[in-house]
Amino acid sequence: MADRVHPMPAPPSPRPDQPPPAGAGAEAHAANDGAPPTETTPLQQPHPSFNRPLSPPPGTYIVQVPKDQVLRVPPPDRARRYKKLAARPARRRLLRRACCCACAAFLLLILLAAAFAGAVYLIFRPRAPTFSVASLSIRGLNNLTSSSSTTLSPELDAAVRADNGRNRKVGIEYRGGGSVTVSYAGERLATGPWPAFRQPPRNVTAFAVAMTGQGVRLTEEQRRRLAAERAAGDVPLAVEARVPVRLRFGKTVMRTWTVDVKARCDVAVDRLDGNATAVNRGCRVKVRPLWWWW
């Protein structure tokens, strides 16, 4: 009697998330090596869900990007603004460079001018001229007994002496437009023009200045004091001059600009009518733009 053969049930297929049993892979490999593949051999393919990347769980994430990688290439709508802002540093550098060059050029010009002025001073050694009043001819000041309401019209002729003997290589040009004034106790008595002339080096020039005054009023105190000083033969007067001058260095065409020279000489006269003898008590010369020379 033949034995009945019952078919063996197929083993259950493994789940995708379970690893294959130990030895199953080796047996299957050995079986495949020993037996040729048949058309009925099933090919197991992975589930399609395993090919897709896992989606992150929902939540808030912080992404940190290095600063050197931010806005490497601006978006098209901001490209023009980015180009304009990027050009500002270069423009500022050019402006800063131009300012520095201008300041350096200005300082260089100042240094060159100072060096030139120092060289001229060391070569020519300019000195201030000296002034003195040799004599005064006075008219119209002898009527001091009248009241203070009476006006005076004095006339004075001064003999002035300009000495340029201390300058060996520097000449002086006295230009027109100057004036000479004689005053007493701060009250102006007469004024006249300073003559224009050229004075070479090592030269002494004497010239006359005619001065006139009109409507001069002296107070009672000034009249009494002036009468007392006239009686004593010692009347103090102030002779002030303002004249534009230029310096000429040697025989060259090099000259300075025109500056105003102010001179004040304190003199004392022995009389107030006729030719009076003037005693000089000192003269001062001021030249502000050229104070380092004079």
Side-chain angles (χ1 to χ4, degrees):
M1 184 176 178
D3 296 333
R4 183 177 292 180
V5 179
H6 300 277
M8 188 174 181
S13 59
R15 296 174 59 183
D17 56 350
Q18 291 183 354
E27 293 176 0
H29 184 70
N32 293 334
D33 292 343
T38 61
E39 297 180 357
T40 60
T41 303
L43 296 177
Q44 297 182 358
Q45 296 181 358
H47 197 271
S49 61
F50 286 92
N51 294 333
R52 294 180 299 179
L54 298 177
S55 60
T60 302
Y61 297 89
I62 299 176
V63 179
Q64 296 183 354
V65 181
K67 291 183 178 181
D68 56 347
Q69 298 181 7
V70 177
L71 294 178
R72 282 283 185 178
V73 179
D77 57 337
R78 299 293 181 90
R80 183 179 300 177
R81 180 173 177 82
Y82 173 77
K83 186 177 180 180
K84 182 179 179 180
L85 294 177
R88 284 186 178 181
R91 197 180 312 165
R92 291 178 181 175
R93 285 195 297 269
L94 291 177
L95 182 60
R96 191 182 301 113
R97 188 178 304 172
C99 292
C100 293
C101 292
C103 293
F106 182 70
L107 292 177
L108 181 61
L109 289 177
I110 292 179
L111 291 177
L112 291 177
F116 178 76
V120 170
Y121 177 80
L122 293 177
I123 294 174
F124 295 97
R125 296 286 183 174
R127 292 292 184 270
T130 59
F131 302 98
S132 61
V133 179
S135 62
L136 279 174
S137 178
I138 305 172
R139 296 179 300 274
L141 283 180
N142 52 357
N143 189 13
L144 299 178
T145 58
S146 59
S147 63
S148 59
S149 60
T150 304
T151 59
L152 303 176
S153 298
E155 296 180 1
L156 294 89
D157 294 332
V160 182
R161 184 173 179 269
D163 188 356
N164 192 32
R166 297 195 301 171
N167 287 316
R168 299 181 179 180
K169 301 179 181 180
V170 179
I172 302 176
E173 296 181 3
Y174 297 93
R175 305 176 66 83
S179 61
V180 183
T181 303
V182 176
S183 60
Y184 170 78
E187 184 69 27
R188 180 179 297 182
L189 300 178
T191 182
W194 180 288
F197 62 94
R198 294 183 180 180
Q199 189 174 29
R202 293 179 174 271
N203 177 265
V204 178
T205 303
F207 55 93
V209 179
M211 296 168 284
T212 58
Q214 293 180 354
V216 179
R217 294 180 180 273
L218 297 178
T219 62
E220 292 292 341
E221 177 64 26
Q222 290 176 341
R223 286 173 180 269
R224 287 195 299 266
R225 187 169 56 184
L226 185 58
E229 291 169 346
R230 182 184 60 178
D234 187 10
V235 179
L237 297 176
V239 181
E240 298 177 345
R242 186 195 62 81
V243 55
V245 302
R246 287 196 309 183
L247 301 183
R248 184 171 181 175
F249 299 98
K251 297 181 180 180
T252 63
V253 296
M254 186 171 55
R255 303 174 183 177
T256 63
W257 56 91
T258 301
V259 296
D260 286 341
V261 175
K262 295 182 180 180
R264 176 186 172 93
C265 296
D266 295 327
V267 299
V269 295
D270 57 348
R271 53 190 301 180
L272 291 178
D273 54 345
N275 294 327
T277 302
V279 178
N280 289 272
R281 295 181 176 177
C283 291
R284 297 185 302 272
V285 178
K286 292 183 179 180
V287 186
R288 288 190 179 275
L290 298 178
W291 63 269
W292 56 88
W293 288 355
W294 290 12

